[in-house]
């Protein structure tokens, strides 16, 4: 059975540059949709967070920003179904990522607060990239690569083609005008060959070698299905 490590931010906030705190966490669709697709493919999923802390849902993701009402209902229903799984993640620092066929990071603003600075996650990402095994990051989750460092001090992701939430999409959030930094800018500064969809909030994925990235929540389904297609679906035992 294909094994996937599903790494979710443990942050429940995003600290803005004026010191104010915006309640945050993971984005509902980015966890629910890939988790469902992987489960339907028969994959064995292990959820991990920094410190093994239960991840926090960003409630904005179940409001208007989360899409059409029918989609939000489906997403909430699925999250309710896996509530126990999300409430009991394993600590990220106890995980052997080499034991997994796929490593997947969903987004939300949470990664901007914790994974972007988490040394354990940074080392995992650097090692995973070098291993040649599939690694996927969605929306804000590419912020986690900022904690990854090559022996020479540069980013191991420099020169890779990637995507992630664009500046234009981020600034649709009024509070984001107080952001300490924007993801698109930081990815470019890290030496990533960044790309985005011509129209904001449209699905866009990029695959470069073993690295899979999705631009926004709307890319959740396409990214997860591409991983299943490339790695292979197997019947659940």
């Amino acid at each position: 059975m294909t094994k996937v490590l599903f790494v979710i931010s443990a942050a429940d906030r995003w600290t803005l540059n004026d010191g104010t705190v915006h309640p945050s966490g993971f984005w509902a669709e980015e966890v629910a949709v890939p988790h469902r697709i992987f489960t339907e493919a028969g994959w064995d999923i292990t959820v991990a967070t920094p410190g093994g802390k239960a991840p926090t849902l960003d409630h904005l993701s179940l409001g208007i920003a989360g899409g059409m009402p029918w989609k939000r209902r489906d997403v909430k229903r699925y999250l309710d179904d896996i509530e126990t799984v999300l409430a009991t993640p394993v600590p990220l620092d106890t995980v052997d990522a080499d034991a997994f066929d796929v490593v997947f990071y969903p987004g939300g603003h949470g990664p901007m607060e914790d994974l972007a600075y988490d040394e354990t996650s940074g080392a995992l990402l650097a090692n995973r990239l070098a291993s040649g095994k599939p690694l996927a990051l969605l929306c804000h989750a590419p912020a986690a690569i900022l904690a990854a460092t090559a022996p020479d001090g540069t980013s191991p992701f420099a020169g890779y083609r990637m995507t992630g939430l664009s500046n234009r999409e981020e600034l649709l959030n009024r509070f984001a005008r107080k952001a300490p930094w924007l993801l698109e800018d930081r990815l470019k500064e890290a030496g990533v060959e960044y790309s985005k969809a011509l129209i904001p909030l449209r699905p866009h994925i990029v695959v470069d070698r073993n690295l899979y990235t999705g631009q926004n929540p709307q890319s959740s389904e396409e990214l997860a299905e591409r991983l299943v297609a490339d790695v292979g679906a197997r019947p659940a035992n």
Side-chain angles (χ1 to χ4, degrees), residues 25-70:
F26 69 84
W27 198 257
E29 180 179 359
E30 297 177 35
V31 168
V33 171
H35 194 285
R36 174 183 57 78
I37 290 171
F38 297 158
T39 299
E40 291 173 351
W43 290 9
D44 179 48
I45 303 171
T46 296
V47 174
T49 65
K53 180 181 176 182
T56 298
L57 169 68
D58 186 336
H59 290 283
L60 287 180
S61 64
L62 290 178
I64 294 174
M68 299 296 290
W70 63 265

Side-chain angles (χ1 to χ4, degrees), residues 184-202:
E184 178 182 338
D185 292 340
R186 285 295 177 89
L187 293 178
K188 291 176 179 177
E189 290 169 7
V192 165
E193 294 184 20
Y194 177 85
S195 71
K196 58 188 174 184
L198 293 176
I199 301 174
L201 305 180
R202 294 293 180 87

Side-chain angles (χ1 to χ4, degrees), residues 157-163 187-188 191-195 206 208:
F157 291 82
Y160 276 78
R161 293 182 293 108
M162 291 183 65
T163 189
L187 293 178
K188 291 176 179 177
V192 165
E193 294 184 20
Y194 177 85
S195 71
V206 175
D208 186 353

